[in-house]
Amino acid sequence: FSSGETWLMQSLGGITLDPGAVGFSRVLLAPTPAVQLQWANASLDTLRGTVSSSWLWQSPGKLHVEAHIPPNM
């Protein structure tokens, strides 16, 4: 990934592979919503399946977050 893509995935999308896990067996999810944006989504294809994260400001102060983690992670 480029540095911009990595920032978008890890910061806005909140998807980071756990550096202490073997074989991409764990993922960390911690999206960082930006008040300047209405929504964001990110996905990462791993050996164990696709990890995805999305968020949407529904109203000021009300955030909707969705995430998908493959069952074998």
Side-chain angles (χ1 to χ4, degrees):
F1 297 104
S2 73
S3 60
E5 291 171 325
T6 300
W7 178 80
L8 287 171
M9 182 177 56
Q10 291 180 346
S11 182
L12 289 176
I15 301 172
T16 306
L17 293 173
D18 186 345
V22 177
F24 303 102
S25 60
R26 285 192 307 242
V27 66
L28 306 173
L29 288 175
T32 306
V35 294
Q36 301 90 341
L37 299 176
Q38 185 66 30
W39 60 272
N41 60 44
S43 64
L44 176 65
D45 291 325
T46 73
L47 297 171
R48 297 175 183 262
T50 301
V51 176
S52 64
S53 167
S54 64
W55 57 262
L56 166 69
W57 288 110
Q58 293 183 329
S59 61
K62 186 174 181 182
L63 183 68
H64 177 81
V65 179
E66 291 186 14
H68 173 77
I69 302 171
N72 55 350
M73 278 192 120

